[in-house]
């Protein structure tokens, strides 16, 4: 009996290790171009697969990342994401990309990607970027890792950690981000906390932020712009 449980424990730990080291599942075929029509197709990794006989070169082409995003908004930034939702050829391949445009002093606000690590490359401008660690030791604060980036610099934001980018220059800035998921997801912290529908209870937020309920009501009354 003891040997049996030991064997099961070994299998569980091996599976846990496998899951911990994986992002998106590895593909089991050359490609699986996503398609909405489920007729005569397979359901793979959240998306139906287009019949391989109908796949063509255009399924692996996306155009438009040479065009600047519109930064005329309260944040002064625009994320142009290219993922499986608008580029079906990415399905099951475990990658995506985004262009991020910044007006002078524009901000890509604190957010997380629950399913992806991000690699950021600066093309133009000067960005102040950073991410915050999770699970600080007792009595310690969450550690911030931050740097000033210039054209050609590369920075990494580990999967799931809160991070941000701020244009600290007087001119426009452009960066490209590669992400280790076909559909990395994005949770913008302020939008999620103060702009949820229905709203999070005042009892929860006043205690969480240690502020008066009038402050929470004011924040919940604001329009939380989405730059994605």
């Amino acid at each position: 009996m003891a040997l049996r449980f030991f064997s099961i424990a070994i299998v569980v730990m091996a599976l846990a290790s496998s899951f911990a080291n994986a992002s998106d599942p590895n593909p089991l075929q050359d490609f699986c171009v996503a398609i909405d029509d489920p007729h005569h197709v397979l359901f793979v990794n959240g998306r139906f697969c287009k019949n391989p006989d109908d796949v063509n070169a255009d399924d692996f082409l996306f155009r438009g990342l040479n065009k600047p995003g519109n930064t005329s908004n309260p944040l002064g930034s625009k994320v142009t994401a290219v993922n499986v939702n608008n580029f079906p050829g990415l399905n099951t391949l475990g990658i995506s990309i985004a262009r991020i445009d910044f007006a002078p002093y524009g901000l890509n606000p604190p957010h997380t990607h629950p399913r992806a690590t991000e690699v950021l490359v600066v093309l133009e401008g000067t960005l102040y970027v950073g991410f915050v660690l999770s699970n600080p030791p007792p009595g310690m604060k969450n550690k911030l890792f931050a740097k000033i980036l210039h054209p050609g610099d590369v920075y990494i934001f580990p999967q799931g950690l809160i991070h941000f980018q701020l244009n600290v220059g007087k001119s426009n800035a452009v960066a490209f981000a590669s992400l280790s998921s076909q559909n990395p997801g994005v949770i913008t912290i302020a939008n999620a906390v103060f702009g949820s529908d229905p709203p999070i209870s005042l009892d929860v937020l006043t205690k969480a932020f240690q502020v008066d309920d009038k402050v929470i009501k004011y924040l919940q009354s604001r329009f939380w712009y989405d730059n994605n």
Side-chain angles (χ1 to χ4, degrees):
M1 183 66 71
L3 179 61
R4 179 185 176 188
F5 282 111
F6 178 75
S7 300
I8 293 173
I10 293 296
V11 171
V12 170
M13 286 189 291
L15 289 173
S17 176
S18 175
F19 292 153
N21 291 329
S23 183
D24 287 3
N26 289 328
L28 300 178
Q29 55 210 37
D30 288 342
F31 50 74
C32 171
V33 175
I35 188 171
D36 293 329
D37 181 7
H39 186 62
H40 295 314
V41 290
L42 300 175
F43 189 76
V44 178
N45 200 27
R47 287 301 188 99
F48 295 105
C49 289
K50 187 176 185 179
N51 188 326
D53 293 338
D54 298 331
V55 171
N56 58 64
D58 287 337
D59 289 316
F60 304 101
L61 173 66
F62 182 94
R63 299 185 189 274
L65 282 189
N66 59 316
K67 300 176 182 178
N70 184 3
T71 59
S72 299
N73 57 66
L75 294 172
S77 70
K78 177 62 179 178
V79 178
T80 304
V82 181
N83 54 47
V84 71
N85 295 316
N86 58 4
F87 191 8
L90 289 176
N91 193 41
T92 76
L93 299 184
I95 56 173
S96 58
I97 193 170
R99 171 177 174 144
I100 313 169
D101 289 276
F102 301 84
Y105 309 111
L107 171 69
N108 191 15
H111 62 280
T112 74
H113 301 294
R115 293 179 290 276
T117 290
E118 176 180 340
V119 180
L120 186 81
V121 182
V122 179
L123 270 67
E124 301 175 12
T126 305
L127 298 180
Y128 169 63
V129 309
F131 66 88
V132 181
L133 291 187
S134 64
N135 298 326
M140 303 291 289
K141 295 183 178 180
N142 296 73
K143 186 173 182 179
L144 170 67
F145 288 82
K147 292 290 289 185
I148 299 291
L149 304 185
H150 302 281
D153 289 348
V154 178
Y155 208 73
I156 294 174
F157 305 109
Q159 180 173 341
L161 298 187
I162 296 174
H163 59 284
F164 60 86
Q165 301 104 27
L166 172 67
N167 181 6
V168 292
K170 297 181 180 180
S171 60
N172 293 338
V174 181
F176 278 78
S178 297
L179 301 110
S180 62
S181 172
Q182 67 181 40
N183 189 23
V186 60
I187 302 172
T188 304
I189 307 305
N191 301 40
V193 172
F194 299 112
S196 67
D197 183 19
I200 298 174
S201 165
L202 285 176
D203 291 336
V204 172
L205 296 183
T206 53
K207 182 164 288 189
F209 289 94
Q210 298 291 289
V211 295
D212 187 271
D213 61 359
K214 293 180 180 178
V215 176
I216 300 299
K217 288 180 181 178
Y218 169 77
L219 291 171
Q220 289 182 326
S221 71
R222 306 290 292 172
F223 174 75
W224 293 98
Y225 185 82
D226 183 5
N227 67 335
N228 287 269

